[in-house]
Amino acid sequence: MALPVRRVRRRVTLTEIAHACDVAPSTVSRALANPNRVSPAMYERIARKAREMGYESAVLPGTAERMSAGTIALVLPNLSNPFNLDLIRGCQAQAQAAGFMFVLLSTDESVHVESTWLLELSQTVDGIVLASARGDDEQLREIADNIPIVTINREVPSLSGIVIDTPAGCAQGLEYLSSLGHTSIAYVRGPEGSWTDQERLTALTETAERLGVTLTPVGRFLPTMASGAAAADVVELSGATAAIFFNDTLAIGALTRFKSRGISVPGQMSVIGCDDIFGASFSEPPLTTVTAFGEEAGRAATDLLISRFGQRRKSPRVDRIATHLTVRESAGRDLRSLVEPSG
């Protein structure tokens, strides 16, 4: 007598659920393994579809079986700025100390690349530290609905972040130049779409009005030494006797250009940078600059991100890190102010 054939119900796969929900399989896995890793609406949508498809009996891997606590991504606008190395060190050290894998990506100052990476990462990692974002607030908030995001140097309503207070440091630099007799000062602007650049310009404009000095914003420059050389020529043509640069890389590039053109610094032109990168203290001449604490910011942002895991409804929080002006030899008196008027 033939034995009855027992029919085994085929197990529904994560890929099939993902296809039915129009999301990535990694999102389904993250939602079913730990609902706190996705938004409440996303979890309810995936869980409902999984139940409809008969997924209740499937065995999911427990968190104890994971090789790490999860994955944290740091997204930077570029890798050419030495200051970003400090951010990387801080983020990586804090992520690894908490048991998380660490992923690094650069957008090369492209809004499109940033948008593409963020959408991809929202389906593949557990949290994102986003430094100096170039995209718009609305898109960042939409992505944050699916994955925890903490920003560095970009304030976005409803998102948590870390702001390095370089605008206050730049204002301090302008006050210093004014005390040295400079009345015509240029601000060499950073790349298009930089929130920090706009904040610095606002702070500098307000300070210049209070001090009664002329501030001339010049250009939009990528943060590279080659751009700094081009910026030096623009600053000279502006008639300014001093310049504050968006960052040290631009400022050091300008120092090299001024020297090649026989313009003495600080005799004929005073220069102030921003960030206090490695190398600023032994440029020629040593660079007066706004000292910012990148590694501290990276650690703080990563800690803040980890604190948001499992607490998606927590109120957003923005912490500020103070900066200060470090005086070296690239800024000096405006010698023209020392010349007595004739007659």
Side-chain angles (χ1 to χ4, degrees):
M1 178 177 176
L3 295 174
V5 177
R6 192 172 98 184
R7 297 186 177 276
V8 178
R9 184 176 179 182
R10 187 178 68 84
R11 174 178 290 181
V12 177
T13 67
L14 294 179
T15 301
E16 290 171 326
I17 298 172
H19 180 74
C21 295
D22 195 25
V23 297
S26 58
T27 301
V28 174
S29 176
R30 189 160 60 240
L32 297 180
N34 186 343
N36 289 320
R37 292 181 184 172
V38 297
S39 67
M42 177 65 75
Y43 170 70
E44 181 59 32
R45 175 182 163 198
I46 291 172
R48 186 185 306 113
K49 182 59 68 176
R51 286 192 294 268
E52 291 174 359
M53 299 176 70
Y55 195 74
E56 297 94 341
S57 62
V59 177
L60 294 174
T63 54
E65 297 176 3
R66 294 174 63 97
M67 293 295 290
S68 69
T71 304
I72 290 174
L74 170 62
V75 180
L76 296 166
N78 62 70
L79 294 177
S80 60
N81 183 359
F83 178 75
N84 286 334
L85 297 178
D86 292 334
L87 288 179
I88 294 169
R89 275 193 292 269
C91 285
Q92 180 170 324
Q94 216 64 10
Q96 291 179 340
F100 286 83
M101 290 184 62
F102 177 77
V103 177
L104 173 65
L105 299 104
S106 169
T107 66
D108 293 325
E109 301 288 348
S110 167
V111 175
H112 173 71
V113 172
E114 177 182 284
S115 174
T116 301
W117 276 127
L118 289 177
L119 287 172
E120 176 68 22
L121 289 170
S122 69
Q123 307 293 327
T124 55
V125 301
D126 297 289
I128 300 172
V129 175
L130 177 60
S132 302
R134 304 294 190 234
D136 59 60
D137 290 356
E138 183 179 354
Q139 185 197 37
L140 296 180
R141 285 194 295 266
E142 288 177 358
I143 293 174
D145 286 339
N146 293 321
I147 187 172
I149 293 179
V150 167
T151 61
I152 296 177
N153 283 346
R154 171 71 178 272
E155 286 194 62
V156 180
S158 78
L159 294 189
S160 293
I162 302 294
V163 174
I164 306 173
D165 199 3
T166 51
C170 288
Q172 187 180 352
L174 187 63
E175 291 173 340
Y176 178 63
L177 291 172
S178 176
S179 73
L180 295 173
H182 295 278
T183 58
S184 180
I185 301 165
Y187 171 54
V188 178
R189 302 195 64 182
E192 198 75 39
S194 169
W195 178 85
T196 306
D197 173 76
Q198 186 59 52
E199 292 294 301
R200 292 176 190 171
L201 178 60
T202 299
L204 287 168
T205 300
E206 293 173 352
T207 304
E209 290 175 356
R210 174 170 56 81
L211 296 174
V213 302
T214 300
L215 179 74
T216 304
V218 297
R220 300 306 293 262
F221 294 93
L222 292 175
T224 65
M225 290 188 65
S227 293
D233 291 344
V234 178
V235 168
E236 184 192 5
L237 291 173
S238 74
T241 60
I244 297 174
F245 286 76
F246 173 74
N247 73 357
D248 289 347
T249 309
L250 281 166
I252 292 171
L255 290 178
T256 302
R257 178 64 172 171
F258 285 137
K259 183 177 181 180
S260 71
R261 298 197 58 189
I263 300 171
S264 66
V265 177
Q268 294 170 275
M269 179 69 67
S270 286
V271 173
I272 291 180
C274 188
D275 290 339
D276 203 4
I277 62 173
F278 177 77
S281 63
F282 49 85
S283 61
E284 183 56 43
L287 183 64
T288 295
T289 185
V290 176
T291 297
F293 302 94
E295 185 169 342
E296 179 183 342
R299 288 180 179 275
T302 305
D303 279 345
L304 185 54
L305 177 67
I306 293 171
S307 76
R308 316 305 287 186
F309 292 160
Q311 302 183 54
R312 303 297 299 281
R313 299 174 189 271
K314 199 172 182 180
S315 298
R317 166 182 155 192
V318 177
D319 295 336
R320 293 184 177 274
I321 296 177
T323 62
H324 65 264
L325 185 70
T326 296
V327 175
R328 298 192 181 104
E329 297 170 27
S330 66
R333 295 294 300 268
D334 178 9
L335 299 182
R336 280 168 282 191
S337 70
L338 301 178
V339 179
E340 294 291 336
S342 59

